[in-house]
Amino acid sequence: MKKIIFSLCFFILYLGAQEFKFIDANISKEDEGIYALVEKYVDLNNQIKEFKKNNDENSSTFNGILSEFEKDKKTILAKIPDMIVGQKINEEAVARFLKAKEKLLDVQKKNINKPYIYTDATLNLVYFNIVESFYSSLFEVEKLFKNTASSEDLIATVDKAMENLQNSSNVNLDSFKSKITNPEELEKITLKERYISNAVDSYSEILKYLRSNADLLESNYIFSLLELQVWIDRINEAIGVGFINIGKIVISALVLVFFISLRCFFANIVYFFLVQLFYRDKNDVDDIKVIVIENIKKPVGFFLIVYAISICLTIATYPAPLSINLSNFFHIVYAVLIAWLILKMLDGYGMVLVSKLAQKSGKKEVVNLIIKILYFVIIIIALLYILAQLGFNISAIIASLGIGGLAVALAAKDIIANFFASILLLFDNSFNQGDWVEVSGIEGTVVEIGLRKTTIRTFDNCLVFLPNSTIMGANIKNWSKRRMGRHVRMYLGVGYDATPEKLEQCVKDLREFLHTSDLVAHDEDSALKYGDHTTKYRQNLVSINDLEGYKNACYVALSEFADSSINIELYFYTKEIGGKDFREARQSLMLEFMRIIEKNGLTFAFPSRSIYIENLPPLDLQAKAIK
């Protein structure tokens, strides 16, 4: 409840601030205007063309200056969607425009036999038609923004506008230009044609920008579906507060409350559709319910909250669309959350279905491989989508991995091998920082996994650096991957004076002690006991105890008749795996072993040797005594 109240207060303050911000923004828009912004863009394009024409492309400053021009263009393009909504029709300017157009038509008709005047008037008319077509399309786009149209409607409108723009500029005046003999007049006509061509190119770039970002400029689906803008207007009309938009604040508060409440039981809705409708085996449906809901609760909750925030921001900016950068950010977040949700569903519901399939088919390895491939594919798709949203050319990235990358790969193959090996080590989860490992004869604690090398601190306090490519090709022993069960194998040697009955009873007592000791891992100490709800389904895919690191075997038996003793073999695993705890547990067990040996009247044997001497001369003890 506290979170809901905090979120509501935050968004009310935010929306209030946004309203005042938009008032200020609209004032600045009136000063600048969409026309001034577009003309600034046209002028920038003209400057770029002149710069390219008059400067050497190979100069050191060429690319730097050109990139600054492009940066300015992107800045203007980012402002245009918001400016479109703020544009206002100046009736006087429109009247002057139409009057000038009529005058040009009259000049064109009267001077058809005068090549220069006719051509000049025609080009002016072409420019007027282009401007009229372009700004008419912007007004159409404004209507779409205000009516919360979809990206398909926006694309269709822009495509039609671009077609009209091209049709308006397609005029052939070669026959009239050929009759102009004055070089100065020809130069003026050429300059005007260049200006018109530049204007057409600039207008086309603006329209293409709107088209390519149509999915980012479209209104939020829920905002459009529920026609929230209508309710905002009704609330504002009912309350009648002019200095702040109460309708936006009320609707945003309701949206937040609804989605924050929805996340509490939305996971149950997903469970119903996944399990109740598609899963036929009702025997373990309760376990599956826990698995599914627990796995998808967090990603679903985060997704609903982020979506609610996007709706509130759409409300805050209405009638202007969300900024493209902000929309892009939300698309990236959605991609991450959806990928997370799918992976969690694979961990939960997918694991149950796949385990059933593996149980029926008996092909555990194949099914397990399919799961890993699905994980990889989902992550790659999400990553490619995020890169595309960030502006990277995915096709170019893939192409650059071809012939162009071959030369670099050959020149720096060791560096690249170590780099990719480090990535594989991180994703392969062979070991983590702090693990006790043994690699290529080096045993110690992993200090760091770098991009080129892995650092290991040995137990004699020596720091060893191993190239990652070497590690990838070596056998790795990871002692820290044990969850329970550190191996102990020892032999208790008793003397040959032991009777079979005493030995049999001693072995029985030792076995009983190990099977009941809290320090020793038993059969019930397994991954099924300590794992989560998915564990019992995963055991159909892999040996779950070996995968998770549980060992619980326990054997006690006579093993051999040694030179000096009869050996009793003890083979078991302690529950404790840490160095200190393991040694203390082993000590306690050894002391108890001694007590059991003593209780059964047996003694520990120690190495002894018997010497046999043959044919010794008789000793005259009496003669030695006299002496």
Side-chain angles (χ1 to χ4, degrees):
M1 191 64 187
K2 290 181 180 179
K3 291 181 179 179
I4 296 176
I5 295 172
F6 175 78
S7 301
L8 288 175
C9 293
F10 173 78
F11 267 98
I12 288 171
L13 292 173
Y14 173 79
L15 289 171
Q18 286 294 101
E19 284 302 310
F20 290 113
K21 177 183 174 183
F22 290 149
I23 292 170
D24 294 336
N26 288 330
I27 293 171
S28 65
K29 285 178 190 176
E30 289 178 5
D31 294 338
E32 186 176 27
I34 183 69
Y35 178 80
L37 196 65
V38 171
E39 289 306 306
K40 188 184 292 185
Y41 188 85
V42 174
D43 185 56
L44 264 176
N45 267 341
N46 188 50
Q47 290 180 44
I48 290 172
K49 288 181 179 179
E50 290 296 322
F51 176 76
K52 288 181 177 179
K53 180 180 177 182
N54 300 323
N55 290 273
D56 183 12
E57 293 184 3
N58 298 320
S59 66
S60 57
T61 59
F62 183 85
N63 290 328
I65 296 173
L66 194 61
S67 64
E68 287 296 322
F69 278 128
E70 294 296 334
K71 186 178 178 181
D72 292 339
K73 285 176 63 177
K74 289 180 180 178
T75 302
I76 293 174
L77 287 173
K79 292 180 181 179
I80 285 177
D82 188 37
M83 296 291 289
I84 288 174
V85 177
Q87 63 182 330
K88 294 181 180 180
I89 299 176
N90 189 325
E91 299 294 341
E92 293 182 3
V94 171
R96 289 197 302 270
F97 178 86
L98 294 175
K99 188 175 181 180
K101 189 175 179 181
E102 289 178 4
K103 187 177 179 181
L104 285 171
L105 285 169
D106 187 55
V107 171
Q108 186 187 42
K109 289 178 182 178
K110 291 180 179 179
N111 295 281
I112 193 169
N113 295 321
K114 297 179 180 179
Y116 171 71
I117 297 175
Y118 178 84
T119 303
D120 184 68
T122 303
L123 289 176
N124 287 332
L125 276 172
V126 168
Y127 179 70
F128 272 49
N129 290 332
I130 290 169
V131 171
E132 183 179 2
S133 175
F134 175 71
Y135 284 99
S136 297
S137 67
L138 293 188
F139 280 110
E140 290 296 323
V141 171
E142 180 188 18
K143 290 179 183 178
L144 292 177
F145 285 162
K146 290 183 177 179
N147 294 327
T148 63
S150 64
S151 59
E152 290 80 8
D153 295 332
L154 186 59
I155 289 172
T157 301
V158 172
D159 285 343
K160 185 178 179 181
M162 292 177 68
E163 183 180 353
N164 293 336
L165 199 65
Q166 292 299 323
N167 292 335
S168 300
S169 61
N170 287 335
V171 178
N172 190 350
L173 296 172
D174 290 342
S175 59
F176 291 93
K177 287 167 60 178
S178 62
K179 297 176 182 178
I180 300 174
T181 57
N182 190 328
E184 292 182 0
E185 292 177 347
L186 276 174
E187 180 66 21
K188 289 179 181 179
I189 294 297
T190 302
L191 289 175
K192 188 164 289 189
E193 285 179 332
R194 288 177 184 172
Y195 182 82
I196 292 172
S197 175
N198 181 52
V200 171
D201 292 341
S202 300
Y203 295 161
S204 297
E205 287 179 10
I206 293 171
L207 292 173
K208 286 177 182 177
Y209 176 80
L210 294 175
R211 189 188 192 284
S212 62
N213 293 286
D215 57 330
L216 299 176
L217 292 171
E218 70 175 348
S219 180
N220 185 281
Y221 177 74
I222 297 294
F223 184 84
S224 305
L225 181 67
L226 300 179
E227 297 182 347
L228 295 182
Q229 75 279 6
V230 176
W231 292 100
I232 291 171
D233 294 338
R234 288 180 181 177
I235 292 172
N236 287 331
E237 289 175 4
I239 295 176
V241 178
F243 66 92
I244 191 170
N245 197 320
I246 298 296
K248 288 185 177 182
I249 294 175
V250 172
I251 296 297
S252 296
L254 291 175
V255 167
L256 277 174
V257 171
F258 173 75
F259 277 96
I260 291 175
S261 303
L262 181 64
R263 72 191 184 108
C264 298
F265 56 87
F266 192 78
N268 290 280
I269 298 174
V270 176
Y271 157 75
F272 174 79
F273 282 102
L274 288 178
V275 178
Q276 297 290 351
L277 298 182
F278 299 105
Y279 193 74
R280 302 302 178 189
D281 188 359
K282 305 301 181 182
N283 295 326
D284 48 4
V285 72
D286 292 334
D287 286 341
I288 295 172
K289 182 176 181 180
V290 175
I291 292 169
V292 172
I293 292 177
E294 287 300 321
N295 273 276
I296 68 175
K297 185 184 292 183
K298 281 189 177 180
V300 166
F302 276 109
F303 184 87
L304 291 175
I305 290 174
V306 172
Y307 192 69
I309 292 173
S310 71
I311 295 176
C312 292
L313 291 176
T314 302
I315 294 170
T317 58
Y318 177 80
L322 275 179
S323 69
I324 289 177
N325 290 334
L326 192 56
S327 296
N328 210 16
F329 170 76
F330 277 114
H331 278 69
I332 292 172
V333 174
Y334 291 150
V336 173
L337 291 176
I338 290 172
W340 183 22
L341 176 61
I342 294 173
L343 291 176
K344 281 293 184 181
M345 289 175 65
L346 276 178
D347 278 341
Y349 182 66
M351 185 64 67
V352 174
L353 293 180
V354 171
S355 69
K356 295 290 184 183
L357 178 63
Q359 197 173 19
K360 290 180 181 179
S361 65
K363 300 291 185 180
K364 297 182 180 180
E365 296 80 5
V366 176
V367 177
N368 199 29
L369 180 62
I370 291 172
I371 293 176
K372 292 181 179 179
I373 292 173
L374 285 174
Y375 269 72
F376 180 76
V377 169
I378 291 166
I379 293 172
I380 291 298
I381 291 173
L383 185 61
L384 290 176
Y385 179 81
I386 291 170
L387 289 175
Q389 292 299 117
L390 291 174
F392 290 94
N393 189 332
I394 303 302
S395 301
I397 292 174
I398 295 173
S400 66
L401 298 177
I403 298 174
L406 181 61
V408 178
L410 291 174
K413 62 178 182 179
D414 291 336
I415 297 174
I416 294 174
N418 286 320
F419 172 74
F420 281 104
S422 66
I423 295 175
L424 291 174
L425 284 173
L426 292 173
F427 282 99
D428 188 52
N429 198 28
S430 298
F431 53 81
N432 299 310
Q433 184 175 326
D435 283 0
W436 169 19
V437 298
E438 182 180 345
V439 183
S440 298
I442 306 299
E443 184 176 0
T445 305
V446 177
V447 178
E448 182 185 15
I449 304 173
L451 292 178
R452 193 188 70 83
K453 64 183 183 299
T454 295
T455 309
I456 298 176
R457 174 72 67 178
T458 62
F459 293 120
D460 55 358
N461 208 15
C462 175
L463 202 60
V464 180
F465 303 95
L466 289 174
N468 290 329
S469 58
T470 301
I471 296 175
M472 285 301 298
N475 294 325
I476 302 172
K477 289 184 180 180
N478 190 335
W479 305 107
S480 297
K481 288 292 184 182
R482 297 174 292 197
R483 294 287 185 87
M484 180 180 291
R486 186 160 175 176
H487 186 220
V488 177
R489 186 174 189 176
M490 63 174 62
Y491 296 90
L492 303 180
V494 298
Y496 271 99
D497 57 345
T499 63
E501 291 76 14
K502 289 182 179 181
L503 283 172
E504 187 175 11
Q505 184 60 42
C506 182
V507 169
K508 183 179 179 181
D509 291 346
L510 288 169
R511 186 180 295 124
E512 183 180 354
F513 167 69
L514 289 178
H515 285 161
T516 57
S517 174
D518 292 334
L519 300 175
V520 178
H522 305 128
D523 291 341
E524 63 271 16
D525 296 317
S526 66
L528 293 176
K529 178 181 178 181
Y530 297 100
D532 55 22
H533 291 278
T534 62
T535 305
K536 72 176 184 179
Y537 297 101
R538 293 174 66 194
Q539 69 175 340
N540 295 325
L541 303 176
V542 294
S543 174
I544 193 67
N545 280 339
D546 292 322
L547 178 65
E548 297 294 336
Y550 289 87
K551 288 289 187 181
N552 51 28
C554 182
Y555 309 107
V556 180
L558 293 175
S559 64
E560 64 175 335
F561 295 104
D563 292 339
S564 304
S565 62
I566 301 173
N567 291 339
I568 303 173
E569 181 184 11
L570 290 88
Y571 184 102
F572 60 93
Y573 291 86
T574 63
K575 288 184 178 180
E576 300 295 341
I577 58 174
K580 180 181 178 182
D581 295 334
F582 166 73
R583 285 169 173 79
E584 290 179 354
R586 185 176 59 182
Q587 174 182 293
S588 300
L589 292 170
M590 291 175 68
L591 291 173
E592 191 60 34
F593 296 157
M594 291 181 68
R595 294 187 184 99
I596 292 173
I597 294 292
E598 184 179 354
K599 184 184 76 171
N600 284 279
L602 301 175
T603 58
F604 285 100
F606 52 87
S608 61
R609 179 175 297 176
S610 299
I611 300 175
Y612 298 92
I613 302 175
E614 297 181 357
N615 301 322
L616 281 175
L619 295 176
D620 190 353
L621 298 177
Q622 187 176 4
K624 287 187 177 182
I626 294 172
K627 290 181 179 180

